[in-house]
């Protein structure tokens, strides 16, 4: 069974790789009508690093054949970077004497360590081919897109030209900008509206949960001490086997129907009351988003188009361009400038543990 599954994903990523070169930038973005912020461009590295996208996709393809689970880790890394002080690769920065990094915030403690390594490995390959001209922030954005595509999802254009941030956000700022899994739809819509996302954008971005894993502690409040009535009985019973106690450290798949394939089955899960988080299932319970969930469950192409639109928008949140920011030599550290360390505010306030919904 394991061999058959591995062969299937090998076929999936190879098929995706063969298809991608035939898609032009105009074909991948036509009809999306997403405005591009000043300083970014669809063809930013066309002359300076024409092999950029091939380098990234080729490396990820070879990795996903043996471990498709890393795709979800790279996609989540992009979400957690962009939602906190913009898509500036600040989530990649290690902490310093001036304070803990974004990685130490509770929602980021479950980010895959391998995802951070992959970004630096890609950076090294790109610098060897083109020199130090591509930012870590752009690499994160492209790696997320290819993770979606090589898992079976849509291929969309990524505007490029981001610079890497000089500082990381505080732990409290990180908590305030990443929706927790126990949030209801009103909270999610309100948080994302501040970043100019529509309800359709919000539901589409939540579809990223069609791949990946979750720790039990992110949803056991729906199981213990009493079961959430919006959760299907059989689904809850099976989750209790994986998570026998509220503080269990085990993990489970986010999408029980096709956990490693980027498709619309996440929304089918919600229709069947099999959403893992409160923030997932409540999208179907709430009348404001129920119709969007249903339409995506019925029409995968509609989901793919709206997911691409939302990802292009998200990838432009708070970007640094031009003379702002830098191109890091090491994605986990700011380029050396002086004896002073990262100019980040030291976290002084206590924080409550929370896990990110995205």
């Amino acid at each position: 069974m394991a061999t058959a599954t591995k062969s299937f994903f090998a076929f999936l990523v190879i098929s995706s790789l063969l298809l991608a070169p035939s898609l032009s930038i105009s074909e991948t973005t036509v009809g999306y009508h997403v405005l591009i912020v000043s300083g970014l461009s669809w063809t930013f590295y066309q002359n300076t690093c024409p092999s950029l996208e091939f380098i990234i996709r080729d490396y990820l393809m070879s990795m996903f054949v043996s471990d498709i689970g890393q795709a979800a880790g790279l996609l989540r890394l992009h979400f957690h970077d962009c939602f906190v002080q913009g898509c500036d690769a600040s989530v990649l920065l290690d902490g310093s004497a001036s304070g803990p990094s974004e990685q130490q915030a509770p929602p980021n403690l479950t980010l895959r360590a391998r995802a951070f390594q992959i970004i630096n490995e890609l950076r090294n390959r790109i610098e060897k081919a083109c020199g130090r001209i591509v930012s870590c922030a752009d690499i994160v954005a492209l790696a997320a897109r290819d993770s979606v595509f090589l898992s079976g999802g849509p291929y969309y254009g990524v505007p490029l030209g981001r610079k890497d941030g000089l500082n990381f956000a505080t732990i409290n700022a990180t908590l305030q900008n990443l929706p927790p899994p126990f949030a209801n739809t009103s909270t999610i819509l309100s948080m994302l509206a501040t970043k100019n996302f529509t309800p359709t954008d919000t539901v589409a971005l939540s579809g990223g949960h069609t791949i990946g894993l979750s720790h039990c502690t992110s949803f056991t409040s729906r199981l213990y001490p009493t079961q959430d009535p919006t959760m299907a009985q059989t689904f809850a019973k099976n989750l209790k086997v994986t998570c026998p106690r509220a503080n269990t450290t085990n993990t489970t798949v986010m999408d029980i129907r096709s956990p490693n394939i980027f498709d619309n089955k996440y929304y089918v899960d919600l229709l069947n009351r099999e959403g893992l988080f409160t923030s997932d299932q409540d999208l179907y319970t709430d009348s404001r988003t129920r119709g969007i969930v249903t339409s995506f469950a019925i029409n995968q192409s509609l989901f793919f188009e709206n997911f691409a639109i939302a990802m292009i928008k998200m990838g432009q949140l708070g970007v640094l361009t031009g003379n702002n920011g830098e191109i890091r030599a090491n994605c986990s550290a700011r380029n050396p400038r002086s004896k002073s360390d990262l100019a980040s505010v030291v976290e002084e306030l206590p924080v409550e543990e929370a896990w990110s919904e995205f």
Side-chain angles (χ1 to χ4, degrees):
M1 182 69 175
T3 301
T5 300
K6 186 174 180 179
S7 297
F8 170 75
F9 288 114
F11 171 77
L12 181 65
V13 295
I14 291 172
S15 298
S16 299
L17 187 68
L18 292 174
L19 175 63
S22 66
L23 299 174
S24 68
I25 290 295
S26 60
E27 287 173 325
T28 60
T29 59
V30 65
Y32 290 168
H33 307 299
V34 181
L35 294 176
I36 306 304
V37 301
S38 177
L40 297 186
S41 167
W42 300 111
T43 57
F44 192 83
Y45 299 108
Q46 181 173 292
N47 297 322
T48 56
C49 192
S51 60
L52 170 62
E53 297 196 31
F54 173 79
I55 293 171
I56 292 176
R57 192 174 305 120
D58 181 62
Y59 186 62
L60 294 184
M61 185 195 75
S62 65
M63 181 172 303
F64 293 167
V65 167
S66 60
D67 188 4
I68 191 64
Q70 295 301 333
L74 290 167
L75 177 59
R76 189 167 179 237
L77 191 65
H78 186 38
F79 274 101
H80 283 227
D81 181 37
C82 292
F83 271 76
V84 181
Q85 83 174 26
C87 308
D88 64 350
S90 59
V91 71
L92 304 180
L93 290 171
D94 291 335
S96 70
S98 63
S101 71
E102 293 173 30
Q103 296 173 30
Q104 303 308 308
N108 290 336
L109 293 175
T110 54
L111 291 174
R112 296 194 184 205
R114 184 70 183 115
F116 292 92
Q117 296 170 359
I118 291 170
I119 297 301
N120 253 327
E121 289 165 6
L122 286 170
R123 196 216 68 80
N124 293 338
R125 286 171 174 256
I126 293 164
E127 179 167 337
K128 184 176 180 180
C130 305
R132 193 197 302 174
I133 61 171
V134 180
S135 68
C136 299
D138 275 347
I139 295 171
V140 170
L142 287 169
R145 189 276 307 280
D146 285 349
S147 294
V148 169
F149 181 60
L150 294 173
S151 300
Y155 183 89
Y156 55 90
V158 177
L160 301 169
R162 299 166 187 79
K163 291 292 184 65
D164 297 323
L166 304 180
N167 313 304
F168 46 71
T170 64
I171 289 181
N172 273 347
T174 303
L175 286 169
Q176 291 165 7
N177 283 280
L178 290 171
F182 50 80
N184 60 24
T185 298
S186 292
T187 299
I188 298 294
L189 291 178
S190 177
M191 290 183 71
L192 270 67
T194 64
K195 302 181 188 299
N196 296 317
F197 289 113
T198 67
T200 298
D201 293 332
T202 301
V203 176
L205 289 174
S206 295
H209 286 174
T210 189
I211 55 175
L213 302 172
S214 170
H215 287 75
C216 291
T217 49
S218 292
F219 60 83
T220 47
S221 61
R222 300 185 68 204
L223 298 173
Y224 308 108
T226 58
Q227 184 184 314
D228 184 338
T230 67
M231 183 180 285
Q233 291 292 335
T234 301
F235 181 58
K237 181 180 179 181
N238 291 335
L239 287 177
K240 288 178 180 178
V241 174
T242 303
C243 310
R245 299 176 305 280
N247 61 349
T248 305
T249 58
N250 294 338
T251 61
T252 189
V253 297
M254 299 285 290
D255 173 3
I256 62 172
R257 285 173 168 76
S258 52
N260 291 314
I261 302 175
F262 197 99
D263 55 21
N264 68 334
K265 296 302 186 290
Y266 161 82
Y267 301 102
V268 177
D269 294 341
L270 301 189
L271 265 60
N272 287 278
R273 298 192 297 130
E274 295 166 338
L276 198 58
F277 299 160
T278 297
S279 55
D280 292 322
Q281 193 57 55
D282 202 49
L283 293 174
Y284 185 63
T285 303
D286 195 295
S287 61
R288 292 169 294 179
T289 48
R290 184 185 184 102
I292 305 170
V293 169
T294 302
S295 66
F296 289 169
I298 295 171
N299 189 336
Q300 179 167 278
S301 295
L302 182 65
F303 162 51
F304 279 6
E305 179 177 350
N306 281 278
F307 181 81
I309 292 171
M311 287 296 288
I312 295 170
K313 290 172 66 173
M314 187 191 79
Q316 300 182 79
L317 289 175
V319 294
L320 302 173
T321 62
N323 294 324
N324 297 313
E326 65 182 7
I327 305 294
R328 291 186 204 139
N330 178 343
C331 289
S332 62
R334 175 180 169 178
N335 293 337
R337 274 185 178 75
S338 64
K339 295 182 180 179
S340 62
D341 207 336
L342 290 173
S344 183
V345 178
V346 176
E347 189 66 46
E348 297 178 347
L349 301 176
V351 296
E352 297 181 0
E353 183 164 331
W355 302 105
S356 170
E357 187 266 340
F358 287 110

